[in-house]
Amino acid sequence: MALLEVSNLGIAFGGLQAVDKFDLTIEKGQLFGLIGPNGAGKTTIFNMLTGVYKPNEGDIILDGQNITGMQPQKISKAGIARTFQNIRLFNDMSVLDNVRVGLHNQVHYSTVAGVLRLPSFYEKENIMRGKAMALLKIFGLDGVAKQKASNLPYGMQRKLEIARALATNPKLLLLDEPAAGMNPNETAELAETVRFVRDKFGIAILLIEHDMSFVMELCEKIVVVDYGRIIAFGTAQEVRNNPKVIAAYLGGE
Amino acid sequence: MNLKNLGRTARRNLVTYSMVIAAYIIIQVLAAMDLLSNSLSGQLIPICAYVIMAVSLNLTVGVLGELSLGHAGFMSVGAFSSAFFSVAVGDALPTPVTLVLAFAIGMIAAGVFGVLIGIPVLRLQGDYLAIVTLAFGEIIKNLLNAFYIGVDSTGFHVSMKDATALKMDETGRIIIKGAQGITGVNRMSTFTIGFVLVVLTLIIVLNLIKSRTGRAIMSIRDNRIAAESVGINVTKYKLIAFTVSAALAGLAGSLYAHSLATVVAKKFDYNTSILILVFVVVGGMGNIRGSVIAAAVLTVLPELLRSFADYRMLVYAIVLILMMLFKQSPQIKNFCRGIGERLRLGSLFHRRKAENSSSGKEG
């Protein structure tokens, strides 16, 4: 059975049908690309998958569980994590604390245990710290663990956001334009990281990206949307030569 | 203990605790040497109460990032419920037991009101909490102004009209007397009790902030959408922060009420709420130590500047506006940081060492 099955997903804002009849099937461990011109509805799809928007119609099934229209925090627990197009870190908190917030539902102890500093507090905090540092190390952020998140350079902030999302132990990771604002070297490094994350954690990754070479090289399957509808679907090669895709990007008859 | 091994926050908290304990010892020594003026020794318990108020409001405003304009309302609930209890009990129980129970009741009562307000309001985003808490403070004040409660051999009598409407028999005594409030409160609070409660409040708030719960609360302040996306139950953690904040305000109210002979609702009005907000803003949002210092200093200052008392509220307003303006100014921020670094001898020492080693390399 597929990891994520989306069928007939649609949402309208007032009279504008932002996404219409969107279908998607992602298998475990797949690297999936979601592309399309500006305003095509890509981020809207992400927002529906993560519960920020409630779809008007359609179903989202994650690993056999219907998560359509659930609250974001419940969808996070169900196993979808995401990053944001405009980076959303906890700016006034340390890098380490950002990841520890991500671990919130992985390591539990009660508020009372925290206030009274019961033994379970120390035990669980140690576990949390270890897990968080291990994640930071993967992204080369362990050296800046104590810095404020807002003080990091842009590229590191993007990495921290991915680390935080991974901390929630997701089955599916959604990356919204992870390479935005990066130079070619950083983009190549990011592609390596994304592949490494997929292999190491065995998760599926769905990413939105405008950097075509990045998407074409990295993703095993690509779905192209325009005006809220799917216009093409397939491997990089298939999508690249699809006349509808070329028309959508370059204009056409 | 090796300070280096502690985290930065742990070290900062240690300084806060030491500062409070040192202040307590100094004042006790001064009191023993009879060097405290009458007006200042009368201020000691109110200072403790206001420190607790400022620290607890900082939990809502600075840590959770929601504005509350009715914190004195929770103080009022705590003050009246605890004073009501201790007056109703009278001498039936030993004093320490009455005191502990009264404080617990004040805390719980205010906490319950915190939950009641929080459940509907904290689901919303935006400034609704400020509006509702503002109304809550005024409603509580006016309600308590109109309440008459008496007790006689048949039990409690409640009226919203006047004392005679209570229709009590000859054994009756009035506990809450409308605008005149509760009279004959046993003045059990001492400075030591106040100090213990301040330390207790600091332990609760500082431990809460540096725990899983506290990080969840701060993540909501920093970015609600991201917090939801990593699975934080936003309403739950807002409610926890707000309820703890309200309960601690109730504790402060209990402490304050038992230092007065008469508790009246008028004392806990809008001005008091704003005064506490000024403590938090001047001390720095999210900065617990700042709240302690600001509350203590700004409670003592008006007493010292008694001749200036008429302009007090005016000065507070100006201070508040200036603080907000300066907080946004990068020049002021840099200036403050520069002063802070110069004052911190430790970092001066480190810098000198670093300079020495780098110049050594060059040489």
Side-chain angles (χ1 to χ4, degrees):
Chain A
M1 193 187 58
L3 177 68
L4 180 80
E5 282 179 84
V6 178
S7 55
N8 196 31
L9 199 64
I11 189 171
F13 300 110
L16 177 77
Q17 188 73 31
V19 175
D20 194 20
K21 297 190 181 68
F22 182 78
D23 297 309
L24 186 67
T25 304
I26 299 182
E27 303 293 336
K28 285 198 175 74
Q30 209 166 27
L31 273 173
F32 218 104
L34 172 60
I35 61 171
N38 287 325
K42 303 181 296 291
T43 299
T44 308
I45 292 169
F46 266 30
N47 282 338
M48 284 191 284
L49 292 180
T50 53
V52 177
Y53 296 151
K54 288 194 182 5
N56 297 133
E57 52 192 334
D59 288 309
I60 306 167
I61 317 281
L62 180 75
D63 221 5
Q65 185 189 4
N66 191 338
I67 57 164
T68 321
M70 280 189 0
Q71 287 176 323
Q73 96 251 9
K74 299 240 168 81
I75 291 183
S76 161
K77 282 181 195 163
I80 298 185
R82 74 174 291 182
T83 66
F84 296 88
Q85 192 175 348
N86 45 343
I87 302 175
R88 288 178 182 273
L89 290 172
F90 307 127
N91 280 331
D92 281 343
M93 298 171 73
S94 74
V95 169
L96 182 62
D97 278 349
N98 267 269
V99 179
R100 282 198 279 202
V101 173
L103 288 165
H104 186 83
N105 290 320
Q106 303 304 312
V107 186
H108 292 264
Y109 60 83
S110 70
T111 303
V112 175
V115 170
L116 299 181
R117 294 291 194 250
L118 299 179
S120 66
F121 165 82
Y122 291 103
E123 180 198 335
K124 296 291 167 63
E125 277 291 310
N126 265 336
I127 297 174
M128 238 184 190
R129 194 189 172 82
K131 283 190 174 190
M133 286 309 286
L135 266 170
L136 287 176
K137 199 159 192 136
I138 290 175
F139 291 91
L141 293 169
D142 48 335
V144 290
K146 289 199 171 157
Q147 283 195 26
K148 240 167 85 168
S150 56
N151 290 345
L152 292 187
Y154 184 84
M156 281 186 167
Q157 292 198 1
R158 285 238 171 255
K159 284 183 182 171
L160 176 57
E161 223 191 1
I162 300 175
R164 184 184 67 188
L166 284 172
T168 66
N169 192 23
K171 298 168 185 161
L172 172 66
L173 177 62
L174 309 184
L175 303 176
D176 199 343
E177 300 200 17
M182 288 189 175
N183 65 32
N185 281 339
E186 287 170 329
T187 307
E189 193 193 326
L190 179 72
E192 280 309 302
T193 312
V194 170
R195 236 182 242 123
F196 175 77
V197 163
R198 191 268 305 264
D199 297 339
K200 162 126 182 147
F201 295 90
I203 59 175
I205 295 175
L206 172 65
L207 57 91
I208 295 175
E209 190 46 69
H210 279 299
D211 186 329
M212 281 307 136
S213 60
F214 178 80
V215 178
M216 297 287 169
E217 189 207 341
L218 190 63
C219 297
E220 292 144 4
K221 281 277 169 62
I222 294 169
V223 59
V224 190
V225 289
D226 194 17
Y227 297 110
R229 283 167 182 269
I230 295 176
I231 57 168
F233 171 78
T235 63
Q237 202 57 38
E238 288 162 4
V239 166
R240 199 194 311 248
N241 299 324
N242 189 314
K244 276 192 191 160
V245 176
I246 296 167
Y249 272 94
L250 300 177
E253 79 283 21
Chain B
M1 197 180 354
N2 190 351
L3 286 179
K4 276 278 152 56
N5 289 344
L6 288 168
R8 207 185 315 157
T9 334
R11 237 177 302 156
R12 213 180 295 150
N13 291 350
L14 200 66
V15 172
T16 309
Y17 288 125
S18 335
M19 191 189 76
V20 171
I21 292 168
Y24 171 73
I25 293 170
I26 290 170
I27 288 173
Q28 287 297 38
V29 168
L30 287 179
M33 291 160 68
D34 219 8
L35 286 173
L36 283 186
S37 71
N38 261 343
S39 76
L40 187 61
S41 53
Q43 286 273 293
L44 291 177
I45 297 171
I47 289 172
C48 291
Y50 281 127
V51 166
I52 298 174
M53 287 301 284
V55 170
S56 64
L57 184 64
N58 207 338
L59 187 59
T60 300
V61 176
V63 181
L64 175 62
E66 292 273 348
L67 188 55
S68 168
L69 294 176
H71 213 50
F74 295 112
M75 193 182 186
S76 176
V77 168
F80 270 83
S81 53
S82 66
F84 177 83
F85 173 80
S86 62
V87 169
V89 166
D91 298 329
L93 294 170
T95 312
V97 178
T98 314
L99 192 75
V100 170
L101 285 177
F103 283 12
I105 285 172
M107 227 172 142
I108 292 167
V112 166
F113 272 91
V115 173
L116 289 179
I117 291 179
I119 285 177
V121 179
L122 291 173
R123 287 167 178 277
L124 306 170
Q125 296 150 34
D127 296 328
Y128 293 100
L129 189 70
I131 298 163
V132 172
T133 48
L134 174 63
F136 165 75
E138 289 302 296
I139 291 169
I140 284 289
K141 190 186 78 183
N142 288 322
L143 265 184
L144 289 173
N145 258 336
F147 248 109
Y148 291 83
I149 299 180
V151 61
D152 64 7
S153 52
T154 58
F156 288 106
H157 296 257
V158 182
S159 163
M160 297 284 283
K161 265 162 79 190
D162 52 40
T164 52
L166 291 171
K167 296 196 190 70
M168 291 188 297
D169 59 26
E170 64 281 357
T171 61
R173 62 194 172 101
I174 297 170
I175 299 177
I176 300 182
K177 200 175 180 187
Q180 289 167 15
I182 302 180
T183 48
V185 182
N186 188 350
R187 295 171 69 175
M188 296 180 285
S189 293
T190 63
F191 176 52
T192 304
I193 293 173
F195 161 74
V196 170
L197 293 184
V198 167
V199 172
L200 186 73
T201 304
L202 284 175
I203 290 175
I204 292 176
V205 172
L206 292 174
N207 282 0
L208 182 72
I209 291 175
K210 201 175 175 289
S211 75
R212 176 174 170 266
T213 310
R215 287 192 293 264
I217 294 167
M218 288 187 285
S219 75
I220 297 168
R221 170 199 67 191
D222 277 5
N223 202 315
R224 191 185 55 80
I225 292 176
E228 281 180 333
S229 87
V230 294
I232 305 290
N233 186 339
V234 170
T235 310
K236 176 182 159 190
Y237 284 101
K238 275 181 168 180
L239 200 58
I240 287 178
F242 188 64
T243 305
V244 170
S245 169
L248 289 175
L251 182 67
S254 313
L255 173 71
Y256 191 51
H258 287 87
S259 74
L260 305 165
T262 312
V263 184
V264 289
K266 217 170 51 200
K267 269 204 171 1
F268 311 103
D269 60 356
Y270 179 66
N271 282 342
T272 311
S273 291
I274 294 300
L275 184 71
I276 296 155
L277 188 61
V278 171
F279 295 160
V280 173
V281 173
V282 171
M285 302 225 200
N287 182 347
I288 301 296
R289 196 197 303 162
S291 290
V292 175
I293 297 172
V297 170
L298 290 181
T299 311
V300 175
L301 264 188
E303 279 304 310
L304 297 180
L305 307 168
R306 218 165 233 288
S307 53
F308 210 58
D310 288 346
Y311 302 102
R312 207 176 78 189
M313 289 319 291
L314 187 67
V315 173
Y316 276 130
I318 293 169
V319 167
L320 197 59
I321 293 168
L322 289 181
M323 285 302 293
M324 294 202 178
L325 285 178
F326 284 164
K327 258 203 131 141
Q328 303 301 324
S329 150
Q331 289 91 342
I332 301 280
K333 271 189 203 161
N334 280 337
F335 178 71
C336 293
R337 206 173 299 143
I339 287 187
E341 264 166 29
R342 226 163 291 161
L343 285 179
R344 221 173 297 138
L345 290 167
S347 68
L348 190 72
F349 176 68
H350 279 301
R351 206 186 309 148
R352 209 172 280 160
K353 227 168 43 176
E355 276 166 13
N356 282 346
S357 61
S358 66
S359 62
K361 261 180 213 157
E362 279 160 24

